Amino acid sequence: MTVIEPHEVVSCLEQDKAAADGQAIVQLMFLDADLMPVGTGRPRFHEVTYSDRGLFDGIAALHRDLAHGEDELDLESSLIRLLNVLLTRHADAPGAASPTLRPRALRQVREMLHSQLNSNIKLDDLAAVAGCSKRHLIRSFRQAYGVPPHHYRTLLRLAGAKSMLAAGRPVAETAAELGYCDQSQLNRHFRRRFGMSAGGYARTVR
């Protein structure tokens, strides 16, 4: 994995060229400054390349989720989680952490997740309601409720899906009503949580 600091020239490394027989395909992620920790200075990386299989696999999975059209809240949350791993393992990240959000702000975020369960809410929307940065929101929400906002919403959606499927609603209709882009996306989340597809669950409870 290669990390390029702001204002540095991006070029393919010699070892990448050799491995690709002179031709290399590089996938780049440009990170918004708002995703970086608030403090007295920006994080610094002392190397150009890092051998970190876990982080590499996480970034590869994020690229796959982007290709599959996963929900933006899930994608942004995954990106911030991976960025936290990158900073913790490989960077000097100066600055003190911000205090936890007040309960009222967190309740407003939670109420928004409940009331707009079928909407494609973004982290920007939630952070605007809370009046803080996206990183600060994720950290504070996890401290208050045990999971980050995107995971909390996924649990709400899956609980709703189980109820709807048990009541005889079709899988495709359930997926659409809960804000999933299609039936396959619901199945991916359902299988990841319960070990079976939504259709398989429906057959067991009817």
Side-chain angles (χ1 to χ4, degrees), residues 26-39:
V26 179
Q27 291 179 301
L28 300 177
M29 285 188 180
F30 294 92
L31 301 179
D32 193 308
D34 185 48
L35 298 178
M36 306 304 280
V38 177

Side-chain angles (χ1 to χ4, degrees), residues 5-78:
E5 294 268 19
H7 309 300
E8 288 184 354
V9 176
V10 178
S11 63
C12 187
L13 299 176
E14 290 302 320
Q15 59 264 37
D16 294 334
K17 292 179 181 178
D21 193 24
Q23 294 183 343
I25 297 175
V26 179
Q27 291 179 301
L28 300 177
M29 285 188 180
F30 294 92
L31 301 179
D32 193 308
D34 185 48
L35 298 178
M36 306 304 280
V38 177
T40 57
R42 67 179 177 84
R44 296 291 303 180
F45 295 92
H46 301 290
E47 304 292 337
V48 177
T49 61
Y50 296 94
S51 179
D52 188 324
R53 187 68 201 186
L55 188 56
F56 179 92
D57 289 343
I59 293 173
L62 178 58
H63 277 292
R64 287 195 297 271
D65 288 344
L66 281 164
H68 287 146
E70 288 290 348
D71 191 271
E72 288 192 41
L73 180 59
D74 292 333
L75 291 169
E76 271 199 290
S77 299
S78 295

